[in-house]
CSV table of all heavy atoms in Angstrom, one decimal:
chain,number,residue,atom,x,y,z
A,22,VAL,N,54.7,3.4,112.7
A,22,VAL,CA,54.9,2.7,113.9
A,22,VAL,C,56.4,2.6,114.2
A,22,VAL,O,57.2,2.3,113.3
A,22,VAL,CB,54.4,1.2,113.8
A,22,VAL,CG1,54.7,0.4,115.0
A,22,VAL,CG2,52.9,1.2,113.6
A,136,TYR,N,68.6,7.7,84.3
A,136,TYR,CA,69.5,8.9,84.3
A,136,TYR,C,70.8,8.5,83.7
A,136,TYR,O,71.2,7.3,83.7
A,136,TYR,CB,69.6,9.5,85.6
A,136,TYR,CG,70.3,8.7,86.7
A,136,TYR,CD1,71.7,8.7,86.8
A,136,TYR,CD2,69.6,7.8,87.5
A,136,TYR,CE1,72.4,7.9,87.7
A,136,TYR,CE2,70.2,7.0,88.4
A,136,TYR,CZ,71.6,7.1,88.5
A,136,TYR,OH,72.2,6.3,89.4
A,163,GLU,N,66.8,-8.9,90.6
A,163,GLU,CA,66.0,-8.5,89.4
A,163,GLU,C,66.6,-7.1,88.8
A,163,GLU,O,66.0,-6.6,87.9
A,163,GLU,CB,64.5,-8.3,89.7
A,163,GLU,CG,63.8,-9.6,90.0
A,163,GLU,CD,63.7,-10.5,88.8
A,163,GLU,OE1,63.6,-9.9,87.6
A,163,GLU,OE2,63.7,-11.7,88.9
Side-chain angles (χ1 to χ4, degrees):
V22 176
Y136 63 89
E163 291 292 327

